[in-house]
Amino acid sequence: MTQVAGRVEAKRINDHVELIHVDNPDAVLEVPRRDWESFTAAVKAGSFDLETLNRLAEENVA
């Protein structure tokens, strides 16, 4: 399963979901599948900002 939402791509791998920053594929966040529902609820509630991946990508390039 692959879904693209803005600049982040989600790929379900056996026991986790990988969120990959489209502009910087080296910026990957792994979320255990057991935590996926809690993670998406946090994102929807604004508790987790997916833009964090963009900041991490920029920091790793610098």
Side-chain angles (χ1 to χ4, degrees):
M1 173 179 94
T2 299
Q3 297 175 353
V4 177
R7 297 172 60 177
V8 177
E9 182 178 282
K11 292 184 180 180
R12 186 171 59 188
I13 312 293
N14 298 325
D15 62 345
H16 67 280
V17 176
E18 291 182 351
L19 295 175
I20 304 167
H21 193 278
V22 175
D23 295 334
N24 184 352
D26 293 331
V28 177
L29 175 65
E30 293 184 9
V31 179
R33 286 181 63 190
R34 69 179 181 277
D35 297 333
W36 183 248
E37 287 184 39
S38 299
F39 174 78
T40 55
V43 170
K44 289 177 184 177
S47 301
F48 185 89
D49 180 10
L50 289 178
E51 194 60 30
T52 300
L53 294 177
N54 189 31
R55 286 191 297 275
L56 289 173
E58 290 172 2
E59 291 173 4
N60 288 329
V61 170

